[in-house]
Amino acid sequence: GDGKPFISHPVAVAKMLAAAKMPEKVVAAGLLHDVLEDTPTRPAELVRRFGKQVASLVREVTEPDKRHSWEYRKRSYLRHLKKASRGALAISCADKLHNTASLLAAYRKVGPAVFDRFSRGVDRKVEYHREVCEAVRAAWPRCPFLSPLDRLLGRLEEVSREQIGREPREVEAKFLVMDPAIFRKLGKLKELGSFSLESRSLERQENRYLDTR
């Protein structure tokens, strides 16, 4: 949303890592940190071209496949950070630092419309970035990117509160259906529109508003 080509993001992350005197392989992995998520590149190719350590670091900061829901992918990523290496923690923190800086720059340029491209509201986006920040802090309190990330997240949280204050209030309801018979009955109800309803496994998703009258 800031008008810059996507490649500027991994380049910026790698520059941040280099400026913080991180090892060369961590800088290389920072430059490559999105390739498994956003390109057809396979882990074996990373091993062949850049070595096992770089490939391992990239895998550490790669979310589950986008077939899964946003919530599942983010929860899995946060769980993984608890046991990630310091190199991976640095990459993750630098990634979120540049994402937050880019988002604020886009907000200053185009205003609240920048948030329309997110599948979740800006408040959830900020909450997730804060959760990553705290996960890194718990695992590595002296990570050099924590302080600037804290500062930018504080500003983004202010923007989020301002934005939420301007928007109509909505109520989100989530229901967990464990009984297969009830789930089948729900599937027969009249559909009124679309929304996201997740099963516990997150492998099966229904997308319906249901008339329960």
Side-chain angles (χ1 to χ4, degrees):
D2 59 4
K4 296 179 181 179
F6 180 79
I7 192 61
S8 66
H9 169 66
V11 169
V13 169
K15 285 184 175 181
M16 288 179 184
L17 294 164
K21 309 296 185 186
M22 299 301 296
E24 184 180 71
K25 292 185 184 300
V26 174
V27 177
L31 189 60
L32 296 163
H33 76 272
D34 277 331
V35 297
L36 294 182
E37 287 184 26
D38 298 331
T39 79
T41 306
R42 308 303 302 165
E45 183 179 356
L46 289 182
V47 173
R48 178 172 57 82
R49 299 183 66 175
F50 304 105
K52 291 182 179 180
Q53 187 176 349
V54 171
S56 177
L57 285 164
V58 175
R59 284 197 296 268
E60 281 191 88
V61 295
T62 298
E63 293 182 357
D65 191 281
K66 286 184 171 61
R67 292 180 300 106
H68 299 287
S69 71
W70 188 92
E71 287 78 9
Y72 176 86
R73 289 185 284 115
K74 304 309 178 186
R75 285 198 301 269
S76 295
Y77 187 84
L78 288 168
R79 284 196 302 269
H80 188 69
L81 283 182
K82 295 179 180 179
K83 55 184 179 180
S85 67
R86 284 193 173 182
L89 293 172
I91 295 169
S92 179
C93 209
D95 173 34
K96 298 302 179 285
L97 175 58
H98 187 255
N99 280 341
T100 304
S102 297
L103 185 53
L104 285 169
Y107 177 77
R108 289 191 293 269
K109 183 177 180 179
V110 303
V114 71
F115 301 128
D116 293 342
R117 61 193 176 97
F118 295 133
S119 60
R120 301 297 184 274
V122 60
D123 56 330
R124 187 65 190 95
K125 181 81 169 179
V126 174
E127 181 184 1
Y128 170 63
H129 275 47
R130 177 62 72 184
E131 289 171 334
V132 171
C133 183
E134 295 309 315
V136 173
R137 192 190 316 280
W140 185 20
R142 297 178 66 85
C143 177
F145 304 108
L146 282 173
S147 181
L149 180 56
D150 268 329
R151 185 171 61 255
L152 288 186
L153 281 177
R155 175 55 189 143
L156 191 56
E157 285 164 347
E158 292 176 6
V159 170
S160 175
R161 287 192 292 270
E162 293 170 3
Q163 181 65 14
I164 291 172
R166 297 190 187 105
E167 293 177 343
R169 294 182 63 83
E170 295 183 354
V171 176
E172 180 182 32
K174 293 186 177 181
F175 302 89
L176 182 62
V177 179
M178 301 299 296
D179 188 322
I182 295 177
F183 194 88
R184 287 193 295 271
K185 289 181 180 179
L186 286 172
K188 297 178 181 179
L189 296 176
K190 182 180 179 182
E191 299 180 22
L192 301 178
S194 64
F195 77 118
S196 178
L197 174 64
E198 300 170 359
S199 69
R200 170 163 286 186
S201 69
L202 298 175
E203 297 295 334
R204 179 181 60 218
Q205 295 188 2
E206 298 292 320
N207 297 285
R208 310 172 187 175
Y209 278 116
L210 304 173
D211 185 353
T212 57
R213 291 175 295 176

